[in-house]
Amino acid sequence: MRTARGAGALARAGHGAAAAAWAVPGAGRLGRLLDGLRHRAVPNRWSSLLGVVAVASLVLLVVTGLVLTLVYEPSSTLVRYQGRYRLLQGVEMSEAYASTLRISLDLPGGLLVRQAHHWAALVLPAALLLQLATLFFTGGFRRPRRAAWVLLVGVLVLALVSGWSGYALPDDALSGTGLRIVEGVTLGIPLVGTWLSWVLFGGELPGRVVEHLYLVHLAAPALLVLLVVLRLRSSWRTGPAQLPGPGRSAERVVGLPLWPAAAVRAAGLSAATTGLLVLMAGTLTISPVWAHGPSSPGNAFAGSQPDWYTAFLDGALRLVPPGWEVTWLGRTWTLAVLVPLAAIGLLGALLTVHPFLESRVTGDRSDHHLLDRPRDAPTRTPVGAAGLTVYGALWAAASADLVATQFRVALEDVVGVLRAVLLLGPVVAFVVARQVCATLRAAERDRHAHGAESGQVVQLPSGGFQERHAAPGPTAQPVLGPAARWPAARRPEATGAPGAAEPGARPDLAASGRG
């Protein structure tokens, strides 16, 4: 069996095969390592490249972040600006903002590095969200990959924390507006809100928030890198999952050898991703802090928008009815703050524990090395569609004011429509997605039973007309019943046929076991 790029069908490399490879006498350590990598297959599908984009963005973030650390001043101390930007000369500002201006306008290559850092921070969450979506809709989170799913959710959360904390470090008017919103939300939390605000800001805004967020911005990426390493280790131990297809089974992976084909492809995509981000940094202006001016507690930036990956948090606050609060136990409970926080927290918790919830609801305790097609999961796919609808409504609500001004409609009407989408949209998305799955499966069953439509119409002896159907090909996707599932993983020693190669595979690249 050959893939689209001509790679042979490879089996999962088991622990026994790996131990035998390391015991080859006379072979060098590097040679034995490369030999083991050649016998490990990587499925040749586009979604596996999302991880490469995420890692390339993370590497660029770390490198540019280390460079910026050498010249950035995380200080709220007020100074008079004496730099090259004449419009701000003599203006009182924090040392953080003054150093950001110096990086952007005075240091050679400083603006390129800062903008590359910002663009990479925008791409990383996108790659992680797409990874989560593909894993969710294909069931890639099931045993034995539940820990890898939880780690990936943790990586996404830390990426959001890293981006949000870095968003505030320039200490310009735009970031100051965002911090004012954060202060209001923090103070709206009963019992502990005042204490949390004091810890975060070090007093009344602005306080020492730059210094505090700088520590968060250093710690969060370090933890993020640690979780990425743990997830790579978990993925290496469980081996890759793959979609069902000819020659593929729970014991055998069809794809490219990890070395050199998959490794070279990943290196090329990493170089292309890094080059594109640097090109964007050199040609597309982002976060022009010199045009915003210094942060001021008494000023708000009109039309301010958060970075796209935190827009759903801002949107959740905008969709809550105004003045929504109650008095209980002698305290005022601001539901306009508590309800969005509780909703976001609940959605995040459900996303994290979904593999365990699905396993408990379905009673499925077996290992899965074959993925599902979305249409073959008529409950999971509609649930995912409903979740994406909720996220989309919250995300769009962050720009409700811009939509109102640009299209010259009332802000109340825009918010009202988005509230309706938030409440009714998930139900509609669930029903539509479930019907689409059922329709696609019915069309497959019909095509499997009667053949595919050929477009040729023939006349019958009786005088009527009928379309001629072509017989399904030998590699047609098998059709499953409504309650059927792909078989669970089986250990190669249980099959009684270890070491069997796929039809057409190179015998020297076939190995038994689980990858």
Side-chain angles (χ1 to χ4, degrees), residues 19-29 32:
W22 280 90
V24 175
R29 186 179 183 87
R32 294 195 298 270

Side-chain angles (χ1 to χ4, degrees), residues 174-239:
L174 182 60
S175 62
T177 301
L179 289 177
R180 173 61 75 182
I181 297 174
V182 172
E183 184 194 35
V185 172
T186 306
L187 291 174
I189 302 176
L191 303 179
V192 297
T194 303
W195 177 79
L196 287 177
S197 176
W198 187 269
V199 170
L200 179 60
F201 292 93
E204 293 290 337
L205 186 70
R208 311 295 294 176
V209 65
V210 172
E211 292 84 346
H212 294 176
L213 288 183
Y214 183 69
L215 296 178
V216 174
H217 195 61
L218 293 180
L223 293 176
L224 191 155
V225 172
L226 176 61
L227 290 190
V228 168
V229 173
L230 293 177
R231 187 176 189 279
L232 291 176
R233 181 175 180 271
S234 176
S235 300
W236 177 267
R237 295 183 64 181
T238 58

Side-chain angles (χ1 to χ4, degrees), residues 294-336:
S295 174
S296 174
N299 298 331
F301 198 94
S304 62
Q305 297 291 300
D307 282 335
W308 75 267
Y309 48 83
T310 57
F312 72 100
L313 301 174
D314 193 11
L317 295 172
R318 299 190 184 203
L319 292 184
V320 179
W324 199 13
E325 59 185 28
V326 296
T327 302
W328 183 50
L329 298 178
R331 295 181 179 271
T332 299
W333 301 76
T334 307
L335 300 182

Side-chain angles (χ1 to χ4, degrees), residues 162-456:
S162 301
W164 170 76
S165 58
Y167 177 83
L169 291 183
D171 203 28
D172 59 336
L174 182 60
S175 62
T177 301
L179 289 177
R180 173 61 75 182
I181 297 174
V182 172
E183 184 194 35
V185 172
T186 306
L187 291 174
I189 302 176
L191 303 179
V192 297
T194 303
W195 177 79
L196 287 177
S197 176
W198 187 269
V199 170
L200 179 60
F201 292 93
E204 293 290 337
L205 186 70
R208 311 295 294 176
V209 65
V210 172
E211 292 84 346
H212 294 176
L213 288 183
Y214 183 69
L215 296 178
V216 174
H217 195 61
L218 293 180
L223 293 176
L224 191 155
V225 172
L226 176 61
L227 290 190
V228 168
V229 173
L230 293 177
R231 187 176 189 279
L232 291 176
R233 181 175 180 271
S234 176
S235 300
W236 177 267
R237 295 183 64 181
T238 58
Q242 59 182 344
L243 289 169
R248 302 172 184 176
S249 67
E251 298 85 21
R252 182 174 287 116
V253 175
V254 178
L256 300 174
L258 181 56
W259 179 265
V264 171
R265 184 178 65 168
L269 181 60
S270 298
T273 301
T274 304
L276 180 59
L277 289 174
V278 173
L279 178 63
M280 293 169 62
T283 56
L284 302 176
T285 301
I286 188 170
S287 185
V289 293
W290 55 88
H292 300 158
S295 174
S296 174
N299 298 331
F301 198 94
S304 62
Q305 297 291 300
D307 282 335
W308 75 267
Y309 48 83
T310 57
F312 72 100
L313 301 174
D314 193 11
L317 295 172
R318 299 190 184 203
L319 292 184
V320 179
W324 199 13
E325 59 185 28
V326 296
T327 302
W328 183 50
L329 298 178
R331 295 181 179 271
T332 299
W333 301 76
T334 307
L335 300 182
V337 171
L338 297 179
V339 171
L341 291 179
I344 296 298
L346 177 62
L347 291 176
L350 290 177
L351 180 66
T352 305
V353 303
H354 180 82
F356 307 94
L357 290 178
E358 181 173 306
S359 176
R360 185 174 183 84
V361 171
T362 61
D364 186 3
R365 302 292 190 272
S366 57
D367 288 352
H368 294 269
H369 296 294
L370 290 177
L371 302 173
D372 289 335
R373 297 180 305 168
R375 70 185 67 179
D376 295 327
T379 299
R380 182 196 308 135
T381 299
V383 169
L388 289 178
T389 304
V390 172
Y391 177 82
L394 297 178
W395 184 81
S399 299
D401 53 341
L402 293 183
V403 172
T405 55
Q406 295 298 320
F407 292 94
R408 299 182 179 180
V409 294
L411 177 61
E412 293 78 7
D413 295 340
V414 176
V415 172
V417 170
L418 290 174
R419 286 173 182 166
V421 172
L422 180 64
L423 297 177
L424 302 178
V427 179
V428 175
F430 185 92
V431 173
V432 171
R434 193 175 183 89
Q435 184 59 42
V436 169
C437 291
T439 302
L440 291 174
R441 290 169 60 82
E444 276 191 335
R445 285 194 293 268
D446 182 73
R447 186 165 57 250
H448 187 73
H450 305 290
E453 297 179 356
S454 64
Q456 300 177 356

